[in-house]
Structures are given as structure tokens and as C-alpha cells.
């Protein structure tokens, strides 16, 4: 049998089989693309997500400052910090808050939401407070303590009574100023509002931790992530940055 390779045979081969080679090249390129995409994609445990309620945001550096702080401490797990600023008076705020409650690691929300959903979030027991709050601030911060007095009697959870679920942030030293980094008092944006009109806007905001986060140490549901505590670190970073 004559199997000699000649230019004519090569030309004929490619003339009839060129489509096969083209498909092989395209498939190879796609496979390589998928491999590199999987290598470079930021996975859920490598991303910190924060849902941030405020009427206006004047500080766009918060996420980068947080990343700089944890990287200086040697944290090479978190590759990205995403902070979603949402106005409580925005058209889709309710839907965004509901979805964020299941996807974010940290949230800053209004007192009115705390009165409805406080124990949806992680209880800030002694262990959590020790991880989140600098020693010099422990006695000066205001905490959200679950109380039956704040909610409809039909929806009171007696197991949550007296427990801490949030830390107030609108009154922090560097936020309760004339030109704050984050506006929690809508009168700063519209001084012409009457007291009656202002009464419909929340002025108290609390930072809370999502129970579903994989960055809350051994408080999390997934044992393989119990060494990750970056959600606690964000709360501590926020308090250090704006309360000290």
C-alpha cells in the first residue's frame, strides 16, 4: 500500500477535511479560554460583599481601603470587595435589600428594617463582638438589642429577646459631621424639609452580619470555611476608620 506523503496528497487532504481542522482549532481555543477563566474567576469565598444603605455616598474609597488593610495584614484570600450603595428611598430598594439578605456578608440597614428582621442576622455575642469591635470602642458604641417593645407582638421571637444583632453607625465620630462620608440624615441633602416630612425618613442605621456568609468563622454553616473571618474584619475596619 502506497502511504507516501506528497504535496498533492496533503493538498487533497486539507481540501476535503479543512472543516475538521477548523473545528478542532475552535474547540481547542474554547477549552483554553474556559480553563483560564476558571483559574482567574473570583469565587464566592474570595469576594466580600457589602450592602450599604445610605441616602448619599461621598466616599468611594472604602472597598479599596479595606482591601489594602487586609492585604497589609497578609490576607491573600479576598481578591475583591464589592460595596453596593443603595438609597432607602430608591424605587427598587426593597427588592435589593431582600436579595442582599441572602448574598451579602455585611449589611448596613435602617432601624425600621432592624425592627422587622433583626434576628435574620447573626447574633453579635461576646465572641463576635470581640472580633468586630476594637477594645477602646466597646463602651462607647450603641448596639441594637432585640426587644419585644420594638415590634408587633405577633412577630416577637422570645429566643432573641435581649440579644445584640447590630451596631449603630450613623452616630460614629467621623460620620456625624457636617460633611459626612455617608449621608444617613436626609436633612443634609434637603434642608427645606419640615419636621413632619423628616419624620418619615430613618436616621438610625446599623451594621449587621449575614448568617449565610462563609466569612464569619465558626459561626458559619460550612465547616470548610471556618478559618475565614473577613466579614468580622470589615466591621472592625469600618469602626476603626470612622469611630476612632
Amino acid at each position: 500500500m502506497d502511504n507516501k506523503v506528497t504535496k498533492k496528497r496533503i493538498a487533497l487532504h486539507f481540501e476535503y477535511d479543512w472543516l475538521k481542522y477548523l473545528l478542532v482549532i475552535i474547540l481547542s481555543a474554547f477549552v483554553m479560554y474556559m480553563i483560564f477563566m476558571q483559574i482567574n474567576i473570583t469565587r464566592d469565598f474570595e469576594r466580600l460583599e457589602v450592602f450599604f444603605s445610605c441616602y448619599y455616598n461621598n466616599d468611594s474609597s472604602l472597598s479599596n481601603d479595606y482591601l489594602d488593610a487586609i492585604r497589609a495584614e497578609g490576607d491573600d484570600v479576598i481578591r475583591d470587595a464589592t460595596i453596593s450603595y443603595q438609597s432607602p428611598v430608591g424605587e427598587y430598594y426593597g427588592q435589593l435589600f431582600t436579595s442582599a439578605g441572602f448574598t451579602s456578608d455585611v449589611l448596613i440597614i435602617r432601624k425600621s428594617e432592624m425592627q422587622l428582621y433583626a434576628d435574620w442576622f447573626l447574633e453579635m455575642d461576646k465572641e463576635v463582638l470581640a472580633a468586630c469591635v476594637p477594645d477602646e470602642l466597646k463602651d462607647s458604641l450603641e448596639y441594637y438589642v432585640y426587644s419585644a417593645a420594638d415590634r408587633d407582638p405577633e412577630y416577637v421571637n422570645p429566643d432573641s429577646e435581649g440579644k445584640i444583632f447590630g451596631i449603630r453607625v450613623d452616630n460614629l465620630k467621623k460620620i456625624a459631621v457636617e460633611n459626612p462620608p455617608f449621608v444617613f440624615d436626609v436633612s443634609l441633602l434637603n434642608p427645606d424639609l419640615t419636621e413632619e416630612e423628616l419624620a418619615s425618613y430613618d436616621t438610625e442605621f446599623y451594621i449587621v452580619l449575614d448568617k449565610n456568609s462563609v466569612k464569619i468563622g465558626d459561626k458559619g454553616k460550612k465547616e470548610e470555611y471556618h478559618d475565614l473571618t473577613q466579614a468580622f474584619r470589615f466591621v472592625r475596619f469600618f469602626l476603626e476608620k470612622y469611630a476612632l
Side-chain angles (χ1 to χ4, degrees):
M1 183 177 180
D2 183 7
N3 290 323
K4 187 177 180 179
V5 177
T6 66
K7 290 183 178 179
K8 183 177 180 180
R9 285 181 174 177
I10 292 173
L12 286 171
H13 180 72
F14 279 108
E15 182 179 349
Y16 290 103
D17 294 329
W18 65 270
L19 183 58
K20 293 180 183 178
Y21 288 99
L22 179 61
L23 290 174
V24 168
I25 292 171
I26 293 174
L27 181 59
S28 299
F30 177 74
V31 170
M32 292 302 295
Y33 169 78
M34 292 301 296
I35 290 172
F36 282 107
M37 188 176 72
Q38 289 300 318
I39 291 172
N40 292 301
I41 195 171
T42 300
R43 292 162 290 186
D44 286 345
F45 72 88
E46 296 173 321
R47 180 192 301 110
L48 183 99
E49 296 193 29
V50 180
F51 179 85
F52 198 125
S53 303
C54 60
Y55 296 108
Y56 192 76
N57 165 40
N58 288 317
D59 189 346
S60 60
S61 66
L62 184 60
S63 59
N64 287 332
D65 290 347
Y66 168 74
L67 288 174
D68 289 343
I70 63 173
R71 285 170 181 163
E73 296 168 356
D75 187 325
D76 58 358
V77 175
I78 300 299
R79 300 172 61 179
D80 186 29
T82 302
I83 300 179
S84 175
Y85 297 99
Q86 301 295 338
S87 171
V89 295
E91 183 179 0
Y92 300 107
Y93 176 83
Q95 297 94 311
L96 292 168
F97 163 68
T98 300
S99 61
F102 296 97
T103 60
S104 298
D105 300 291
V106 181
L107 299 91
I108 292 177
I109 56 176
R110 301 174 294 179
K111 183 178 180 180
S112 56
E113 274 118 28
M114 296 298 288
Q115 290 170 330
L116 292 171
Y117 310 115
D119 56 353
W120 279 20
F121 305 109
L122 184 70
E123 180 195 350
M124 292 185 170
D125 59 18
K126 290 182 180 179
E127 182 182 349
V128 173
L129 289 175
C132 291
V133 180
D135 289 339
E136 56 268 48
L137 290 175
K138 286 181 178 177
D139 297 327
S140 60
L141 295 175
E142 186 174 330
Y143 301 97
Y144 186 89
V145 180
Y146 190 100
S147 170
D150 292 332
R151 48 193 36 83
D152 187 322
E154 291 186 20
Y155 299 101
V156 171
N157 180 359
D159 292 335
S160 298
E161 192 82 28
K163 294 179 180 179
I164 294 173
F165 288 96
I167 301 170
R168 188 174 175 182
V169 296
D170 62 275
N171 61 353
L172 298 181
K173 178 181 178 181
K174 295 178 183 176
I175 291 179
V177 294
E178 289 187 7
N179 186 28
F182 313 104
V183 176
F184 294 116
D185 180 356
V186 76
S187 69
L188 295 176
L189 300 177
N190 190 349
D192 297 328
L193 291 174
T194 65
E195 288 189 13
E196 184 178 355
E197 290 171 326
L198 287 172
S200 63
Y201 295 93
D202 281 77
T203 56
E204 290 186 27
F205 287 74
Y206 293 82
I207 193 166
V208 300
L209 293 156
D210 195 325
K211 287 180 180 179
N212 299 305
S213 173
V214 297
K215 305 170 196 75
I216 51 175
D218 58 12
K219 302 293 184 181
K221 298 174 183 177
K222 297 183 179 180
E223 188 174 349
E224 63 266 36
Y225 298 123
H226 281 180
D227 60 324
L228 302 181
T229 58
Q230 290 88 351
F232 296 155
R233 184 66 187 93
F234 181 86
V235 176
R236 191 179 191 91
F237 162 79
F238 190 89
L239 295 174
E240 289 171 342
K241 184 174 176 68
Y242 297 110
L244 290 178

